[in-house]
Structures are given as C-alpha cells and as structure tokens.
C-alpha cells in the first residue's frame, strides 16, 4: 500500500449521511480500499456498502479525466455474523445484467463481505489465523502477528487523533436501529443499554433525558420514566 489512513472521516456534511472509514488505503496500482468491521447484523449491509462505495467514488476520478480512467474501489466488510446464512467464508457482490445472470457488468466497484462465523475446515492457514484473531483475539502464526500489529497501529492512530465515534453518535445510531425493529420489548432493551451506557460516561440525568427527547422522540415524561426504569433495572 502506498497510502493508509485510519478512520478517514467523510462526516463533513450536515445533511447527507457520510460514513466513517475504519481503514482507508490506496495501493501502488491506484486501487482504493475501505476496510470495515461490522459487529452487529442490522440487516442493512447492502445499503451500507453502497454508501461507502459512493464516497470512495468521489476520489476515483479527477476532474477532466475520461470515465475509463476511473480507479477501482474496493469495500471490505468483516462481519462477526453470516449475513446470508450460507456458511460461505466470504461473499462477493456484483452488478449483473437483468435477464442475463452470467453477464457481469464491471463498473470498477468491488464489494466483499468476510464471514467470521464460517466453518474453518476448508480455509487456508492465513484465513484460519484471521478468523481466530477476529473471533477470539488469538495470535497463532506469522500472518496473525502482522494482523495484530496492524490493528494495534490503527487503534493507536485513532486514539491519538481523537476520532472514535462519540457516545452520542453511537447511541443515536443504535436507537434508530431499535426503532425500526418495531417491537416494544426490543426498543425498551435498547433504551436501557443506551441510558446505562451514557450514565457510565458520567452524563447527568438531565443530559440523558435531553438526549432521549432529541434522539428517541420521547416526551419529557416518557424520557424521565425511561431513565428511571433503566437505572432501576441496572441497579
């Protein structure tokens, strides 16, 4: 790789959603990569990938260049769940011509999903080491040693730059997901997790209630009740 940026931040637009890249890189062939960790199945992986690809595409062609000069952009999502339930170690998404499933359309976008919950018996040694490292933190060989060193470097850069997602952003994202699930029990459990997480960061009762009103569409009374119930359940 000739250029690597950790947590390259595109969240500069107050209207449109912009992703936070875990690792952004460009190799000596000009191919642009984005590597992401997905720790929870929120049933929106295809939509997420399209947004990340859209942002990479902004850097794939200089003004005045012909479209044939577009750089290839590659998005990797490393998932601790099997998003399609087929047991495959990885999934590659592609564009195809409707009515001709064997006819691929190469728009220079490559999307790969890595399934960390796959059966490791058919994997290569390096793939086994990767799965063991991400699942259990086990460093078992030369490949996983390099992987662990790279992850440590990413974390160190993120900490020095102060660019981790804030707890408010994280809680708002989790809350939005919970609301879409439609089940009150699920929403209540998510509220409790959000409230106790904010409380653990020493946010005051008033601050948390205001957060609930703003991000969860609760009234003052509902937010107060949600806070009190969550803290009682967590006691």
């Amino acid at each position: 790789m000739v250029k690597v940026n950790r947590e390259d931040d595109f969240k500069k637009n107050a209207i449109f959603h912009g992703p936070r890249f875990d690792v952004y890189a460009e190799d000596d062939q000009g191919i642009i990569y984005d590597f992401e960790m997905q720790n929870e199945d929120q049933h929106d992986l295809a939509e997420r990938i399209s947004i990340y690809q859209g942002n990479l595409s902004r850097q794939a062609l200089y003004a005045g260049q012909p479209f044939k000069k577009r750089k290839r952009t590659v998005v990797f999502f490393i998932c601790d769940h099997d998003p399609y339930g087929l047991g495959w170690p990885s999934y590659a998404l592609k564009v195809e011509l409707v009515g001709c499933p064997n006819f691929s359309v190469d728009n220079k976008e490559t999307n790969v999903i890595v399934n960390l919950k796959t059966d490791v018996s058919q994997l290569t040694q390096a793939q086994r080491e990767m799965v063991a490292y991400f699942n259990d933190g086990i460093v078992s060989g030369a490949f996983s040693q390099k992987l662990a060193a790279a992850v440590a470097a990413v974390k160190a850069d993120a900490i020095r730059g102060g660019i981790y997602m804030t707890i408010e952003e994280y809680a708002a994202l989790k809350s939005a997901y919970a609301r879409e699930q439609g089940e009150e029990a699920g929403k209540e459990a998510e509220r409790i997790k959000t409230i106790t997480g904010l409380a653990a960061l020493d946010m005051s009762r008033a601050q948390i209630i205001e957060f609930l009103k703003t991000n969860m569409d609760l009234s003052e009374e509902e937010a107060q009740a949600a806070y009190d119930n969550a803290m009682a359940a967590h006691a």
Side-chain angles (χ1 to χ4, degrees), residues 61-213:
L61 189 71
Y62 292 111
Q65 283 188 311
F67 289 109
K68 290 288 289 184
K69 292 291 186 180
R70 184 199 192 281
K71 296 179 180 179
R72 183 167 296 279
T73 52
V74 182
V75 173
F76 282 94
F77 264 81
I78 302 173
C79 299
D80 69 349
H81 58 277
D82 186 344
Y84 299 115
L86 299 176
W88 297 359
S90 64
Y91 300 96
L93 310 184
K94 68 177 183 180
V95 179
E96 64 182 33
L97 193 64
V98 175
C100 301
N102 296 323
F103 190 99
S104 296
V105 178
D106 185 11
N107 59 358
K108 293 191 175 180
E109 293 183 2
T110 300
N111 302 300
V112 178
I113 301 167
V114 178
N115 172 23
L116 294 178
K117 299 307 181 186
T118 188
D119 179 2
V120 300
S121 62
Q122 302 299 317
L123 302 183
T124 66
Q125 177 62 31
Q127 289 171 330
R128 290 177 183 174
E129 288 185 33
M130 181 190 71
V131 170
Y133 176 76
F134 281 116
N135 279 334
D136 303 307
I138 297 172
V139 176
S140 55
F143 178 80
S144 53
Q145 287 176 351
K146 292 180 181 180
L147 182 59
V151 170
V154 169
K155 289 183 177 179
D157 278 2
I159 292 171
R160 283 196 295 270
I163 50 181
Y164 278 128
M165 184 178 291
T166 66
I167 185 63
E168 290 89 354
E169 290 174 312
Y170 175 75
L173 180 63
K174 298 282 286 181
S175 300
Y177 174 59
R179 286 199 301 271
E180 289 189 0
Q181 298 311 293
E183 293 295 332
E184 187 59 38
K187 290 193 288 184
E188 180 64 22
E190 204 61 46
R191 283 189 198 127
I192 292 174
K193 288 171 61 179
T194 298
I195 292 168
T196 54
L198 295 174
L201 292 176
D202 294 324
M203 287 184 67
S204 69
R205 183 178 189 273
Q207 288 174 320
I208 294 174
I209 287 173
E210 189 61 32
F211 175 87
L212 296 175
K213 289 163 56 181

